[in-house]
Amino acid sequence: MDLIQSIILGLVEGVTEFLPISSTGHMIVVSQWLGMQQTSGTKAFEVIIQLAAILAVVANYKERFTFKHTRLWIQLFVAFLPVAIIGFLFRHQIKDMFSVTIVATMFIVGGVIFLITERVIKDKTPKVVELDDLSFKQALWIGIAQVFALIPGTSRAGATIVGALYVGLSRKASAEFSFLLALPVMIAASGYDLLSSYKDFANEQWIPLLVGFVVAFISAYVVMRLFMSFLQRFTFVAFGWYRILFGVLILVTAH
């Protein structure tokens, strides 16, 4: 992997990880467009830049890491359990689903769901504007919705945000809960990958890894802040149309 590839992939990870447009789907597609093979080295690189995205969450929400917010972290753990259990039990079947066709299809399906969701909640007043008002039942339902993100191209952020909107969270609260819920999910996934492929780091070039890490951290940090500003004025409709158009583009260019 050269420096240009590491910068591009770091940027793709940072920009897409917390938006409802599937970071995994974009990484698969962009890697193929760059002519990169899925080797042990590229997998190791993806683990590193995911860790950078995790640190971006910590940097943006450091005030939440206090005993004052213990209840919220218990709720996040409750929301994490469904995807952890299903993801572990069906991990081999999930890996078999990674293909351009499945990713493209789920991009389109997810986009349609976002458009429908915005129409459904259009005239409804959110029950939860701030995360302090979230109930454990709502947290569990969001966690169940997150299970659908195990299908490549669905988007973890997208699944959790849609689930949160349907159980009464505001757009802002939905996005914030999605950001924070990324921590246990990504730590578990990255930790598992590290244990499975830690030997691959020994032979990997460290400069591209470091560059990709820095690019992913900075871009994720900035995008999270811009996303919250965006949601103060706009809906998720734009993301719905983007997903549909990008999914169609993938299908057209893949054949």
Side-chain angles (χ1 to χ4, degrees), residues 2 27 30 63 218 228 251:
D2 59 39
M27 290 291 285
V30 173
E63 73 280 357
I218 294 174
M228 295 309 297
L251 288 175

Side-chain angles (χ1 to χ4, degrees), residues 98-170:
F98 279 80
S99 72
V100 173
T101 301
I102 291 178
V103 168
T105 301
M106 294 313 299
F107 259 95
I108 296 170
V109 170
V112 172
I113 290 174
F114 261 110
L115 296 180
I116 293 172
T117 301
E118 279 293 351
R119 186 174 290 272
V120 170
I121 69 169
K122 183 178 180 181
D123 298 320
K124 293 185 178 180
T125 302
K127 300 175 184 177
V128 177
V129 177
E130 300 294 336
L131 291 184
D132 293 336
D133 300 322
L134 184 71
S135 70
F136 280 91
K137 183 178 180 181
Q138 288 170 318
L140 178 59
W141 276 114
I142 296 171
I144 292 172
Q146 185 178 222
V147 171
F148 289 98
L150 293 172
I151 305 172
T154 300
S155 168
R156 188 206 59 79
T160 54
I161 287 173
V162 167
L165 291 173
Y166 273 113
V167 297
L169 274 68
S170 66

Side-chain angles (χ1 to χ4, degrees), residues 69-104:
H69 298 286
T70 300
R71 184 173 185 272
L72 173 61
W73 288 103
I74 296 174
Q75 290 174 326
L76 288 166
F77 178 73
V78 169
F80 164 70
L81 285 177
V83 77
I85 295 170
I86 301 300
F88 179 76
L89 292 176
F90 296 96
R91 60 191 182 281
H92 300 300
Q93 291 86 341
I94 292 167
K95 286 187 177 181
D96 291 338
M97 289 193 293
F98 279 80
S99 72
V100 173
T101 301
I102 291 178
V103 168

